[in-house]
Amino acid sequence: MIRKGVPDSAKRMTLTSPDVRDGGVFPAASWANAFGCSAGNRPLRLSWSGAPAATRGYAVTMYDPDAPSGSGFWHWLVWDIPADDTTLGAEPPAGAVSGTNDAGGTGYLGACPPTGDIAHRYQVTVYALNVPSLGLPAGTPPAVATFTMSGHVIAYGRITATAQR
């Protein structure tokens, strides 16, 4: 079993995207251009609201819990997003850190589940944090970055979309 990484005390926020809706299908333009996929690899555009007053920064992740790895697959991690920013698009805001995904690249890597596999769920999550910075370099492995972040989450919002080929 993979733990959820969000404390039970965390409040809920609203996360929206003009590219995808919660429970919808992952948008074709945002699929990867790797692992046998040849799409645009365009990062999802996100906006959020409802963060607690104690929010000092944000982080955003995209995670596939259905990847056949035994530990899921981190596709996108951005942390140290300033507390006055409530959107994320192709480029992170000044001061934010684009982390390393599980393929070893920096920044966004779109969906690309194995051909013939089950439908994969891609969980895009924004986290409100009680610190302005995690103090981690961009090359920090995703498991370490999310472990460090988990102790600072005070609220979150999530969109889950599916992809299959």
Side-chain angles (χ1 to χ4, degrees), residues 97-117:
V97 176
S98 286
T100 304
N101 56 53
D102 271 340
T106 300
Y108 180 84
L109 177 63
C112 186
T115 301
D117 203 6

Side-chain angles (χ1 to χ4, degrees), residues 41 48 72 79 87 96 122 138 144 151-152:
N41 201 51
W48 53 88
W79 58 83
T87 63
Y122 292 85
V144 174
H152 299 287

Side-chain angles (χ1 to χ4, degrees), residues 29-120:
S30 295
W31 279 56
N33 58 1
F35 299 114
C37 290
S38 58
N41 201 51
R42 186 183 76 203
L44 299 169
R45 296 171 291 166
L46 306 172
S47 63
W48 53 88
S49 62
T55 301
R56 300 200 46 220
Y58 296 101
V60 169
T61 65
M62 186 169 90
Y63 176 68
D64 173 3
D66 301 310
S69 65
S71 61
F73 193 95
W74 294 99
H75 284 262
W76 193 22
L77 295 97
V78 181
W79 58 83
D80 294 359
I81 300 170
D84 58 350
D85 280 302
T86 57
T87 63
L88 184 62
E91 297 297 324
V97 176
S98 286
T100 304
N101 56 53
D102 271 340
T106 300
Y108 180 84
L109 177 63
C112 186
T115 301
D117 203 6
I118 63 171
H120 285 222

Side-chain angles (χ1 to χ4, degrees), residues 7-18:
D8 290 337
S9 61
K11 308 283 188 230
R12 288 301 303 243
M13 297 169 40
T14 300
L15 175 61
T16 60
S17 173

Side-chain angles (χ1 to χ4, degrees), residues 114-132:
T115 301
D117 203 6
I118 63 171
H120 285 222
R121 295 166 291 154
Y122 292 85
Q123 299 171 336
V124 181
T125 308
V126 61
Y127 303 89
L129 307 175
N130 63 4
V131 293

